[in-house]
Amino acid sequence: MTIPTFSDVLVAHDRIKPFIHRTPVLTSSFINELCGAELFFKCENFQKAGAFKARGAVNAVFGLNEDQASLGVATHSSGNHGSCLSYAAGRRGIPCTVVMPHTAPQAKKDAVRGYGARIVECEPSTSSREAVFAEVVSKSGAEFVHPYADPRVIAGQATCSKELVEQVEGIEVVIAPIGGGGMVSGSCLTLSNLAPDIQIYAAEPEQADDACRSFKAGHIIADDAPQTIADGLKVPLTDITWNFVKNHVADILTASDNEIIDAMKLTWRRMKIVIEPSSAVSLATIFKNKQVFAGRRVGVILTGGNVDIEKLPWL
Amino acid sequence: MTIPTFSDVLVAHDRIKPFIHRTPVLTSSFINELCGAELFFKCENFQKAGAFKARGAVNAVFGLNEDQASLGVATHSSGNHGSCLSYAAGRRGIPCTVVMPHTAPQAKKDAVRGYGARIVECEPSTSSREAVFAEVVSKSGAEFVHPYADPRVIAGQATCSKELVEQVEGIEVVIAPIGGGGMVSGSCLTLSNLAPDIQIYAAEPEQADDACRSFKAGHIIADDAPQTIADGLKVPLTDITWNFVKNHVADILTASDNEIIDAMKLTWRRMKIVIEPSSAVSLATIFKNKQVFAGRRVGVILTGGNVDIEKLPWL
């Protein structure tokens, strides 16, 4: 297991800058009053391809040497990592293959193809996905870029918290949603080096609270196919992300799907921004744990904005 | 008729700065490619109370002397001006009364009351509104702040284009939606003084194209109760706004309601921001008139983000 270092983060930030947005930080006095804290929303929903995962994907793709790059990259993902890796490969002009179940939403398939990548469909089971993916890699020689269990990806995601503390003075707490733990690990990596006094919280759906239970148990617990509206957060921790979580996270807070939807609607209504359900989990947990955040300056990482506006969870 | 001057704009900007957002300018490389121009979106959907009208309302309210202010302000509006005037009065701590038909959407009433203003309901007819409003003013002595036919309001709206040209270098064209003409007049006022080479276009719904027909005819034509999804743009020009439009606007372009909805959806999907239908009219007309904007740097004023997310026009 290779653990990325803070110097990897600095290299990553220089490498990815031409291809990503330095996303803005927005505030809402209305939401601040509601929760009794000062929240600074880092808007990765405005990021390239609509999610923070463009950072890690671009870092992995542009860090390849020419020989590796010419063979392309591949991943399995029916979520934001698939489209973000496709975006990154498109910018470098190299092949990209994404393995996803044939049951994946059409919008996700369109996004991947829109960036010029190839989709190889599998059955919606782990065994099929692994078999199909292995064949893709062995035939093409493509470099596997895992959605989060990859030091290049974590170093890329880590640039988000770096920008946040450059953009806002006096941040005391950072909170981000946790699924596989890529964004949280990146935040731990940056903040433990750059601003070790900042507390790091993770936010998780109650219905996929494996990271919270892992945190309490002291070892990784993986759920089998959890169901939650926050569909980016169903995946389990791995050794590399668990290493960051157990050493640097202050606590993992949870919220129900209804609370997540309420926080999502409030954000749309008051901040006038489109965020996906996974992005709303942090705010939902802040409302449930006001005493933790009261009076503090809190960085809230909004992870993405890829939602089907024809099928909103409250309709 | 008092025409505001550019020095009124400078005074207004200093006056309102503590109470409004200097809203960000966003871009979308995807939308740029689609239309073949460089668009710079001035995000007044992020403005206080969710609309540019906070600028004019705050300027009017904070420009009152103490005696006038103590009697409060009043307006008739079932749209953004009502909630923005309520916001401004709330910030100064003076009374505000908004006359609106009892048929107005609950969300609009809630917004006005949320800022602490009083609503007086009338029947949904011009005669009832005028009678009820006259009684409110005569009883309270409140200062009438018209939604757009008011030099203080126009000077306030004019600060939006001033910020835009401060934020983005080399703007060649500015386009904004036109209803009563407050935002377009403000843009004319600022740009004709500050950057007279910038062309100003207005964008209007086909189904409420009275300003377009006025522009072609050379005199004001007012429609009787037009129907369009862009509900902020149903009102007619008045002498003061017509004066700016006829002297400074290059052309008035129109788009159908379906084209407006398509542009609105594209903006939500690609830019991840919530805009109301009236805000999408400019982009809809840009797509219909690509030759006008091709290769140019275009400031696009997104006027507001107040939309009922439970009742979206495409659902």
Side-chain angles (χ1 to χ4, degrees):
Chain A
M1 184 168 70
T2 307
I3 305 285
T5 65
F6 188 58
S7 70
D8 294 327
V9 180
L10 298 175
V11 170
H13 211 186
D14 282 341
R15 179 184 286 145
I16 72 180
K17 266 178 187 165
F19 310 105
I20 64 154
H21 289 303
R22 186 176 177 91
T23 55
V25 176
L26 297 182
T27 61
S28 164
S29 52
F30 183 85
I31 294 176
N32 284 351
E33 278 180 36
L34 277 187
C35 68
E38 279 186 274
L39 308 187
F40 299 89
F41 293 91
K42 176 69 171 162
C43 289
E44 291 292 297
N45 54 324
F46 295 161
Q47 190 49 268
K48 288 288 182 186
F52 77 86
K53 293 192 177 221
R55 296 175 184 270
V58 169
N59 189 46
V61 164
F62 281 83
L64 297 175
N65 65 37
E66 288 299 328
D67 288 346
Q68 284 175 308
S70 66
L71 299 174
V73 289
T75 199
H76 46 76
S77 163
S78 53
N80 285 330
H81 177 66
S83 47
C84 286
L85 189 67
S86 305
Y87 163 75
R91 290 306 298 265
R92 186 155 179 186
I94 66 174
C96 176
T97 306
V98 179
V99 172
M100 58 169 72
H102 60 80
T103 53
Q106 191 59 41
K108 298 288 184 185
K109 294 180 186 172
D110 291 345
V112 167
R113 290 201 185 101
Y115 291 117
R118 176 177 72 121
I119 292 175
V120 176
E121 294 191 344
C122 63
E123 295 303 312
S125 70
T126 305
S127 57
S128 168
R129 187 195 71 199
E130 288 179 352
V132 171
F133 187 73
E135 197 186 338
V136 162
V137 170
S138 84
K139 273 193 185 164
S140 63
E143 175 78 8
F144 177 28
V145 182
H146 189 279
Y148 52 92
D150 185 315
R152 303 165 296 185
V153 169
I154 291 172
Q157 321 304 32
T159 61
C160 179
S161 284
K162 177 168 174 285
E163 289 178 12
L164 177 62
V165 296
E166 288 167 359
Q167 289 167 303
V168 183
E169 280 183 26
I171 290 275
E172 298 169 87
V173 186
V174 166
I175 184 165
I178 190 160
M183 170 51 75
V184 167
S185 295
S187 300
C188 291
L189 174 53
T190 287
L191 298 175
S192 64
N193 281 278
L194 209 54
D197 290 341
I198 293 179
Q199 281 195 303
I200 301 160
Y201 282 81
E204 196 173 35
E206 263 174 29
Q207 290 172 227
D209 67 342
D210 55 290
C212 178
R213 286 181 288 120
S214 303
F215 193 71
K216 285 177 182 159
H219 58 86
I220 297 178
I221 297 171
D223 277 343
D224 191 27
Q227 287 304 315
T228 167
I229 187 77
D231 58 357
L233 306 178
K234 294 176 179 178
V235 290
L237 299 170
T238 59
D239 287 346
I240 187 169
T241 53
W242 171 240
N243 177 72
F244 284 104
V245 169
K246 75 177 176 195
N247 287 322
H248 298 294
V249 166
D251 203 358
I252 300 183
L253 309 172
T254 63
S256 72
D257 274 20
N258 281 339
E259 291 162 340
I260 294 166
I261 293 170
D262 283 347
M264 182 177 169
K265 286 167 76 172
L266 182 73
T267 307
W268 285 45
R269 281 197 175 121
R270 282 289 167 167
M271 300 187 65
K272 314 297 182 190
I273 57 176
V274 172
I275 61 168
E276 59 192 51
S278 300
S279 284
V281 182
S282 303
L283 184 58
T285 65
I286 290 172
F287 282 125
K288 284 186 84 170
N289 299 274
K290 288 185 184 173
Q291 73 291 349
V292 172
F293 303 96
R296 304 174 81 184
R297 289 167 72 83
V298 183
V300 182
I301 297 172
L302 298 177
T303 45
N306 292 324
V307 58
D308 185 347
I309 63 172
E310 311 271 1
K311 288 182 192 166
L312 296 170
W314 53 82
L315 295 172
Chain B
M1 183 168 70
T2 308
I3 305 283
T5 65
F6 188 58
S7 69
D8 294 327
V9 180
L10 298 176
V11 170
H13 212 187
D14 281 342
R15 180 184 284 143
I16 71 179
K17 266 180 188 165
F19 310 105
I20 63 153
H21 289 303
R22 187 177 177 90
T23 55
V25 175
L26 298 182
T27 60
S28 164
S29 52
F30 183 85
I31 294 177
N32 285 351
E33 277 179 37
L34 278 187
C35 68
E38 277 187 276
L39 308 188
F40 299 90
F41 294 91
K42 176 70 171 161
C43 289
E44 291 292 295
N45 55 324
F46 294 162
Q47 191 48 270
K48 289 288 182 186
F52 76 87
K53 293 193 177 220
R55 297 176 182 269
V58 168
N59 189 44
V61 163
F62 281 84
L64 297 176
N65 66 35
E66 288 298 328
D67 287 347
Q68 283 175 309
S70 66
L71 299 174
V73 289
T75 198
H76 46 75
S77 162
S78 55
N80 285 331
H81 177 65
S83 48
C84 286
L85 190 66
S86 305
Y87 163 75
R91 289 306 297 263
R92 186 155 177 186
I94 66 174
C96 176
T97 306
V98 178
V99 172
M100 58 169 71
H102 60 79
T103 51
Q106 191 59 39
K108 298 289 184 185
K109 294 179 187 173
D110 291 346
V112 167
R113 291 202 184 100
Y115 290 118
R118 177 177 71 121
I119 292 174
V120 176
E121 293 189 345
C122 63
E123 295 302 314
S125 69
T126 305
S127 58
S128 167
R129 188 195 70 199
E130 288 178 352
V132 170
F133 187 72
E135 199 188 335
V136 162
V137 169
S138 85
K139 272 193 183 164
S140 63
E143 175 78 8
F144 177 29
V145 182
H146 189 280
Y148 51 92
D150 184 314
R152 303 167 296 186
V153 169
I154 291 171
Q157 321 305 31
T159 61
C160 179
S161 285
K162 177 169 175 284
E163 289 178 12
L164 176 62
V165 295
E166 288 166 359
Q167 289 168 303
V168 184
E169 279 181 29
I171 291 274
E172 299 169 87
V173 186
V174 167
I175 184 165
I178 191 160
M183 170 50 76
V184 167
S185 295
S187 300
C188 292
L189 174 53
T190 287
L191 299 174
S192 62
N193 281 279
L194 210 54
D197 290 342
I198 293 179
Q199 280 195 303
I200 302 160
Y201 282 81
E204 195 174 35
E206 262 174 29
Q207 290 173 226
D209 67 342
D210 54 290
C212 178
R213 285 181 288 119
S214 303
F215 192 73
K216 285 178 182 158
H219 59 86
I220 297 178
I221 298 170
D223 277 343
D224 192 27
Q227 287 303 315
T228 166
I229 189 77
D231 57 359
L233 305 178
K234 294 175 181 179
V235 289
L237 299 170
T238 59
D239 286 347
I240 186 169
T241 52
W242 170 240
N243 177 72
F244 284 104
V245 169
K246 76 177 176 197
N247 287 323
H248 298 294
V249 165
D251 203 357
I252 301 183
L253 309 171
T254 63
S256 71
D257 274 20
N258 281 339
E259 291 162 340
I260 294 166
I261 292 171
D262 284 347
M264 182 178 169
K265 286 167 76 171
L266 181 73
T267 306
W268 285 45
R269 281 198 175 120
R270 281 289 167 168
M271 298 186 66
K272 314 297 182 188
I273 58 176
V274 172
I275 61 168
E276 60 193 51
S278 301
S279 284
V281 182
S282 303
L283 184 59
T285 64
I286 289 171
F287 281 125
K288 283 185 84 170
N289 297 274
K290 288 185 185 173
Q291 73 292 351
V292 173
F293 303 95
R296 303 173 82 184
R297 289 167 72 82
V298 182
V300 181
I301 297 174
L302 297 178
T303 46
N306 292 323
V307 60
D308 185 346
I309 62 171
E310 311 273 359
K311 289 182 192 165
L312 296 170
W314 53 82
L315 295 173

